[in-house]
Amino acid sequence: RQGHCNQQAWAAMIDFARNYDLGSPYWQHFSASPEDSRVKFLAQTLVTLASHFHARAQKNKVRTDYDQAIHWYRRFLANFPARPASEQQHFLLAEALFESHRYRQAVRAYEQTAYDYPRHDNGARAAFAALTAYQRQAALITEPAAAALWQRRHLASILRFADRYPQHPEAATALTKAAEDYFTLADNVTAVIVARRLLALRPQAAAPLRRSAWLVIGHSAFDAARYSEAEDAYQQALAVMPAAHPQRQQIVERLASSIYKEGENLRASGHLAAAAAQFLRIATAAPASTIVATAEFDAATTLLTLHEWPQAIRVLKAFRKHFPGNTLQNEITIKLASAYFENGQTLAAAAEFERIAREDSDIPLRQEALWKAAGIYRDGGKSSQAAAAYKSYVQTFPDDFERTIEALQNLAELNLAVANQRRYYYWLEALIKTDQQAGNARTERSQSLAAAASLTLAKPIFTSFRKVRLSLPLEKSLKRKKALMEKALHAYQQAADYAIAEVSTAATFAIGEIYRDFSIALMASARPPGLSDEEREEYDLLLEDQAFPFEEQAIEIHQANTERVTSNIYDNWVRKSFAVLARILPVRYAKPERSEDFVEILD
């Protein structure tokens, strides 16, 4: 060093570290006292070597430098496991392993640093870094069983981190992650325990984290049929949820469902009065819920069973007022007539019977009744009756465009549910034709359904196109594949022309895949027999010239699909186009994002 012969100096230091390592033969003849100058210099040398190679690795990103740094860190720890500097060297070892992408080893080194030493400055930092290393390693595991086991280890590390360092700024976030993941793994018991640990933190965790914990508790209780507990948890979650939160309505529905399920249990156990009160409570506890009408109707039905005529009448009249367009209105009229009659209010009952008669004879009301009947059949799983009602509606009231479109959609879905593919396609074609002929009556809904129908009808054409292999004689198979290609392109273009985002992205993706499939098929086509090596090479080059424009076209179309992200459109089909481009143009598109975040809050 004094002579500035750096290369020789480093070599000499390495020799010294090897020769005087406490595990070397030298110390079989001498006592290695901590106060021995050679031992002290060994410790200093090992730290210097590890720091030198680590710094060089960080600068040059050369793996062999990381290997050297890791080696010397480990030799220091092997020689001096209990020195005051050991925890710092252990932490730096973990950092070197992490930086060189040895995440599994980094996890172990970070956790040893965090938990195997008395509390020190790097402890919390190492514990949290271990969680990031867990996440990085998880991204590299493809085998499901191994991934599940690694996730369990990750969750255990999160809990250990929160136990040892509860005041760490990320402790609450880590517990939230663990609670959500345990719930996703269907380990609801552990999920609830972790969620309640989060809620017990002092000072309190941030509102979004507490909301997530309450949701885990609520969902777990709901799944276990503990509806009263679920109701309380959902109320707590709503209390820390902004009024404009996108998930609020969903939780309101869950709250209402919890109350409703409790009412069902009371009814099943014969406690009808309590069940009716529970049903009626939903309108107060969750007035924005979509099941308020159902609950009110069930309350009225239960009160009728109890012969509580005056209270049943009040509920039925309130239902008629608050839910005028509900499919149950016909039944409300019938029930009101019965309740009035049983209660001795014969004039009121007569008025209701008269109302029923008017509804049965009036064309618009007959129309409404037929539509409701179809919906009730459909919701009740009576496919044949529902299909017959919808078909009758289409034939009887063709001028009611919006409901005709919905009827056709339902007819298609009903046939799909019973695997009647031919009739399914028939009704989709009828839906498209009806929409096309509607002129100014077309709506966003009708066009959306027609677009989706067009996309569905295009798929079997695409499938047929893909099945065609370019075999000998090539001219014949090529002609057939080209014909199907044009037919598929036309079908998907029709779907894309509706300009419905979720349909257009799917259609655009399919069009790009059609061109890409054709390019691949050309390159994979059967070669004429008897070609020499030179002829075969020329033939392959000719095929490449033929296939290249189709691949280029596929790239342009997928790129057009990915450019929709600038319009805030990023659905599954846009992601798939990115994936295709990553395979075709990996240099440009196969660039994984780097993020240090490891928790996404369940909202």
Side-chain angles (χ1 to χ4, degrees), residues 367-380:
Q367 180 179 348
E368 186 70 19
L370 179 58
W371 181 254
K372 290 178 179 179
I376 292 169
Y377 281 137
R378 178 201 62 203
D379 296 342

Side-chain angles (χ1 to χ4, degrees), residues 297 300-301 304 312-313 315-321 323-342 345 347-360 365 368-369 372:
F297 181 82
T301 302
L304 289 172
I313 289 168
V315 175
L316 290 166
K317 289 177 68 176
F319 187 101
R320 174 178 284 172
K321 178 181 178 181
F323 312 108
N326 193 279
T327 56
L328 296 170
Q329 277 294 350
N330 283 341
E331 293 192 51
I332 292 297
T333 301
I334 295 170
K335 289 181 182 296
L336 260 177
S338 175
Y340 277 134
F341 186 83
E342 296 291 343
Q345 295 174 263
L347 289 178
E352 293 303 321
F353 287 130
E354 185 179 15
R355 181 179 182 132
I356 294 170
R358 289 196 305 270
E359 291 173 357
D360 287 342
L365 293 178
E368 186 70 19
K372 290 178 179 179

Side-chain angles (χ1 to χ4, degrees), residues 201-458:
L201 288 178
R202 292 295 179 271
Q204 280 190 331
L209 303 183
R210 300 202 312 277
R211 177 175 69 243
S212 178
W214 282 119
L215 289 179
V216 167
I217 294 170
H219 294 334
S220 298
F222 191 94
D223 291 347
R226 299 193 305 272
Y227 300 116
S228 178
E229 181 183 337
E231 177 189 350
D232 177 67
Y234 290 135
Q235 290 279 23
Q236 296 287 353
L238 288 169
V240 291
M241 181 178 288
H245 195 282
Q247 197 185 7
R248 188 175 184 86
Q249 183 58 36
Q250 177 187 342
I251 304 309
V252 168
E253 297 294 349
R254 276 286 193 153
L255 169 63
S257 293
S258 300
I259 301 171
Y260 184 83
K261 289 287 187 181
E262 187 64 24
E264 284 188 321
N265 287 344
L266 289 167
R267 182 173 61 188
S269 63
H271 298 87
L272 299 186
Q278 193 79 352
F279 290 139
L280 291 172
R281 195 164 65 84
I282 293 176
T284 302
S289 169
T290 58
I291 68 169
V292 170
T294 301
E296 296 278 304
F297 181 82
D298 284 357
T301 302
T302 305
L303 290 167
L304 289 172
T305 302
L306 290 168
H307 294 180
E308 294 288 346
W309 311 120
Q311 188 178 358
I313 289 168
R314 287 194 296 272
V315 175
L316 290 166
K317 289 177 68 176
F319 187 101
R320 174 178 284 172
K321 178 181 178 181
H322 296 144
F323 312 108
N326 193 279
T327 56
L328 296 170
Q329 277 294 350
N330 283 341
E331 293 192 51
I332 292 297
T333 301
I334 295 170
K335 289 181 182 296
L336 260 177
S338 175
Y340 277 134
F341 186 83
E342 296 291 343
N343 199 45
Q345 295 174 263
T346 54
L347 289 178
E352 293 303 321
F353 287 130
E354 185 179 15
R355 181 179 182 132
I356 294 170
R358 289 196 305 270
E359 291 173 357
D360 287 342
S361 60
D362 188 77
I363 292 177
L365 293 178
R366 279 197 298 113
Q367 180 179 348
E368 186 70 19
L370 179 58
W371 181 254
K372 290 178 179 179
I376 292 169
Y377 281 137
R378 178 201 62 203
D379 296 342
K382 304 296 184 181
S383 300
S384 298
Q385 296 92 323
Y390 281 126
K391 185 176 180 181
S392 176
Y393 193 95
V394 170
Q395 294 170 344
T396 308
F397 308 107
D399 293 333
D400 187 352
F401 171 69
E402 291 187 9
R403 280 190 172 170
T404 296
I405 284 290
E406 296 294 337
L408 293 169
Q409 176 68 18
N410 278 287
L411 282 164
E413 291 175 355
L414 289 165
N415 279 280
L416 177 63
V418 296
N420 190 337
Q421 202 76 6
R422 183 180 63 83
R423 297 297 292 174
Y424 173 55
Y425 289 150
Y426 172 85
W427 290 117
L428 289 180
E429 290 171 354
L431 188 153
I432 294 169
K433 183 177 179 181
T434 301
D435 175 72
Q436 290 174 342
Q437 294 176 348
N440 293 333
R442 299 172 77 191
T443 64
E444 289 184 5
R445 171 70 174 166
S446 72
Q447 292 179 74
S448 178
L449 292 176
S454 297
L455 192 63
T456 299
L457 292 172

